[in-house]
Amino acid sequence: MRALKVLLLAAPVLLLGACATGAPPAQTAALDLRPAQGVEAPRTGASPFGLFLAGQAALNDGRADTASAYFGRADMVAGDASEIRQQAFTTAVLAGEITRASALAPTGPDAPPVAERLGRLVRAVEALATDHPKDGRTLLVEPLGPPVRRAGALLAPFLAAASGDTDASVAVSDIRNDRILDVFGKLGQAQMYERARRYDEAETNYKAVISAGLGTPLFPLDYGGFLERRRRWDDAVAVYDAALAQAPNDTEVRVARAPAAARKAPPPQLTLKQGAARAMVAAAAGAMTDRQGQLAQVYLQLALRLDPTREEASILLGDVLAGSDDPEAARVAYARIPAKSTSYISARTKLAWTYQSADDSETAIRLAEETLKAAPNDRLAVSTLADLLRANERYAESAAVLNPIIPEKPTAGDWRLLYMRGIALERSGRVADGEKDLVAAMALRPNDPEILNYLGYMWIDRGEHLDEAQKMIEKALLTNPRSGAMIDSLAWAYYRRGDFPMAVTKLEQAVELEPADPDVNDHLGDAYWRVGRRTEAEFQWRRVLSLEPTDKQKAEVEAKLANGLGPSGPAQRPTVAGR
């Protein structure tokens, strides 16, 4: 999970073991197509077209399980209707029904090329999951093309190893200029060398991948585990210590270091199914980087078919589902993480945010409070509760939650906590205390655009340090030149200086980037009023009322619609998310 965090942030994404079993391919024709418990059942006797339309409606609503049940039933009724069968295949994969999808996979020369390639990948994964790796290798004799080319290349070595072909398992892919494939291919090769007891070659690869993290060591658990299995305890501890020097709060590495230091039993090497599952998670992370959410969902479901306990697969699947407006399915994915896992707190915090996003703040805060009670010293648990309280305008409580974990003399790792508390204090009316935290956060993180923008806007809004504040906003915009919120902040600097025409120009840019932001629209209305464009000002203010403004925003806008602006106009405050 640690490597995933590093390279999801770095742009090529990298990731970092209970084996799945099921019916062998020869038995997949006799599938149980009843929907899972809690899934709406298709009406018996319905026409194939009616079932198809019902499945399409369920798919449009993000209900992959229900859609899969309808399409599967439609396929049974229709026989060889290719369009229905293809939809049944696609939705079965998205729903994680890989055995069913394998039986429905499009084949033959008439199948659409992309669907045929995905079908071969799904069937190859099912073959490995059901201990028929040679069948899987046969399916990949002809390499897969786009969009599943990377996933096929990552899967192939594990099928070769499971088939007993060591030479093929350590072969290097001929695909070039693919960062994820380069690193994960080398990691897989290291694992294969270790399985073949070619330890020197394995270590060469482990050393290569651990240094591939753009300044942060990747895969310390893999290399450290290898060293432990070689009984090189001191070397393993050194690897873990180097990783902790870069990421002191990395729970997974800390947990791994303790038994290594005590020279206890080393961690086992991943099984081939577990390794293949992680390779599918890597492919999913790449798809997420490329903004291919459905393809990422497919890869994550394939990973879970190979290894149902793959925790980062469940968490990423939850992320994808939450991002596709399927919070119920996302919650199921997050709930798979057991309480004893080092990923449990992360999963619980994500679970809480699904409720906040659904406007159920009471449940979100309750879950965050329960999580913090179970892990009172965990920074993620603390910061999540503080964030949720702040999102619900409970600012004083948010600051109080953060107090116990912010040291008297903060260090570089504390900047975000100071930033969060500074916002909460400022919003609760303790402006001087909030400003003190924000200035301290900026001293620790002088180039962070969030801090520069928030503190800069706060000063601009109060008419203080205008020159310095404007330079801070301009510096933030160098990092995020298309941030509507930051352009709005810069525009407000011009407004406060009395340069209303320039404020209008910048605010029109900001509204184009953030058309649904009530603050930005409100600011544009103010600027239009100042340059004499009264009708357009009133239009913008009325638009604010249609954008779910806060009660305070609504009252201010209604006052402006009734009376216009006074000599200086009312102060406008930043939103936390936008600043």
Side-chain angles (χ1 to χ4, degrees):
M1 191 65 184
R2 180 178 181 283
L4 166 64
K5 296 173 187 174
V6 172
L7 280 133
L8 262 175
L9 296 174
V13 197
L14 302 177
L15 292 182
L16 296 186
C19 302
T21 58
Q27 299 176 10
T28 56
L31 293 174
D32 180 4
L33 294 179
R34 292 173 297 176
Q37 184 177 3
V39 176
E40 179 184 349
R43 291 185 295 112
T44 57
S47 70
F49 185 63
L51 290 165
F52 176 82
L53 291 178
Q56 192 65 55
L59 187 62
N60 291 341
D61 288 342
R63 296 176 291 134
D65 286 350
T66 302
S68 178
Y70 275 112
F71 286 132
R73 179 64 182 163
D75 178 64
M76 291 180 66
V77 174
D80 196 32
S82 59
E83 183 177 0
I84 291 175
R85 188 177 182 87
Q86 185 175 328
Q87 282 282 27
F89 162 71
T90 302
T91 53
V93 178
L94 290 171
E97 299 172 1
I98 305 306
T99 301
R100 174 190 285 180
S102 179
L104 295 170
T107 59
D110 295 331
V114 170
E116 188 274 335
R117 293 167 192 159
L118 179 58
R120 279 198 285 141
L121 177 66
V122 169
R123 290 162 63 202
V125 166
E126 181 67 12
L128 180 57
T130 55
D131 300 316
H132 293 74
K134 291 183 180 179
D135 293 340
R137 285 196 78 190
T138 300
L139 290 164
L140 300 186
V141 167
E142 179 184 342
L144 298 176
V148 293
R149 187 182 185 199
R150 175 193 290 150
L154 287 169
L155 179 65
F158 296 94
L159 288 167
S163 301
D165 190 340
T166 300
D167 289 342
S169 74
V170 298
V172 177
S173 169
D174 61 359
I175 299 174
R176 297 292 178 262
N177 301 318
D178 186 312
R179 171 73 167 160
I180 289 176
L181 187 54
D182 287 346
V183 176
F184 270 91
K186 195 174 289 294
L187 176 65
Q189 190 181 47
Q191 295 168 330
M192 298 307 172
Y193 279 137
E194 184 180 358
R195 294 181 67 86
R197 300 184 180 182
R198 294 164 61 174
Y199 299 122
D200 289 345
E201 292 159 294
E203 184 163 10
T204 297
N205 274 26
Y206 280 125
K207 285 181 176 179
V209 297
I210 201 171
S211 63
L214 305 178
T216 301
L218 287 177
F219 309 114
L221 300 181
D222 293 272
Y223 185 29
F226 166 79
L227 293 169
E228 288 185 66
R229 289 187 289 274
R230 304 306 306 142
R231 301 302 191 267
R232 292 166 54 185
W233 309 107
D234 292 341
D235 290 341
V237 169
V239 168
Y240 298 141
D241 285 344
L244 289 169
Q246 296 292 325
N249 298 315
D250 193 314
T251 303
E252 291 174 293
V253 177
R254 285 205 313 271
V255 168
R257 186 192 186 283
R263 303 196 173 196
K264 294 184 177 180
Q269 189 176 11
L270 294 182
T271 68
L272 291 172
K273 290 179 186 178
Q274 291 168 339
R278 184 165 66 172
M280 290 300 97
V281 177
M288 291 173 71
T289 299
D290 296 337
R291 301 186 183 278
Q292 296 175 310
Q294 279 203 335
L295 188 59
Q297 185 174 339
V298 166
Y299 292 152
L300 293 166
Q301 297 288 20
L302 293 176
L304 290 167
R305 176 68 181 106
L306 291 162
D307 181 4
T309 67
R310 193 92 225 150
E311 292 179 359
E312 75 268 33
S314 291
I315 291 177
L316 274 182
L317 180 60
D319 293 348
V320 170
L321 292 166
S324 62
D325 296 323
D326 192 355
E328 291 295 335
R331 290 165 192 161
V332 170
Y334 294 140
R336 291 187 184 129
I337 309 303
K340 63 183 180 181
S341 168
T342 57
S343 300
Y344 179 68
I345 302 300
S346 175
R348 289 279 297 184
T349 60
K350 290 172 181 285
L351 177 64
W353 278 106
T354 66
Y355 287 97
Q356 176 68 24
S357 298
D359 296 323
D360 185 356
S361 60
E362 183 178 345
T363 300
I365 290 172
R366 176 178 57 78
L367 286 170
E369 288 173 337
E370 292 172 356
T371 303
L372 181 57
K373 186 177 180 180
N377 297 315
D378 187 275
R379 284 194 166 201
L380 178 58
V382 173
S383 61
T384 297
L385 177 57
D387 267 339
L388 286 166
L389 290 168
R390 191 181 64 196
N392 289 283
E393 301 184 4
R394 294 165 60 175
Y395 301 118
E397 293 172 79
S398 177
V401 166
L402 290 165
N403 286 338
I405 65 167
I406 299 179
E408 189 173 333
K409 294 183 178 181
T411 60
D414 301 314
W415 73 270
R416 181 165 287 279
L417 299 176
L418 286 166
Y419 171 61
M420 292 169 59
R421 190 175 67 177
I423 294 172
L425 290 169
E426 186 261 343
R427 290 302 180 88
S428 67
R430 295 170 57 184
V431 177
D433 290 335
E435 183 177 2
K436 180 180 176 181
D437 271 356
L438 292 168
V439 170
M442 188 171 67
L444 295 171
R445 189 91 166 186
N447 298 316
D448 186 83
E450 293 180 55
I451 303 172
L452 291 167
N453 185 58
Y454 192 94
L455 181 59
Y457 182 89
M458 191 177 85
W459 281 341
I460 290 165
D461 188 51
R462 290 159 55 188
E464 300 174 355
H465 315 299
L466 290 180
D467 289 341
E468 182 181 358
Q470 182 166 335
K471 289 177 182 177
M472 288 162 59
I473 304 298
E474 290 169 344
K475 185 176 181 181
L477 276 165
L478 293 175
T479 303
N480 297 306
R482 291 189 57 78
S483 168
M486 292 182 184
I487 294 173
D488 173 68
S489 296
L490 180 61
W492 209 239
Y494 286 114
Y495 185 96
R496 286 300 194 201
R497 290 176 178 278
D499 189 347
F500 302 123
M502 181 59 77
V504 166
T505 298
K506 293 298 181 183
L507 284 164
E508 287 176 339
Q509 295 174 15
V511 163
E512 185 176 344
L513 293 167
E514 299 285 350
D517 189 306
D519 282 316
V520 179
N521 281 275
D522 192 15
H523 285 175
L524 181 56
D526 290 3
Y528 278 152
W529 183 275
R530 294 299 180 196
V531 296
R533 296 163 63 175
R534 303 296 173 87
T535 301
E536 291 165 282
E538 291 173 356
F539 174 85
Q540 290 301 137
W541 291 332
R542 288 194 179 92
R543 175 158 173 73
V544 173
L545 297 178
S546 70
L547 297 175
E548 300 182 4
T550 64
D551 290 342
K552 183 177 181 181
Q553 286 173 323
K554 183 178 179 182
E556 289 176 347
V557 166
E558 287 175 343
K560 286 188 281 191
L561 284 168
N563 304 310
L565 287 177
S568 60
Q572 308 293 316
R573 298 176 60 80
T575 60
V576 174
R579 306 294 166 195

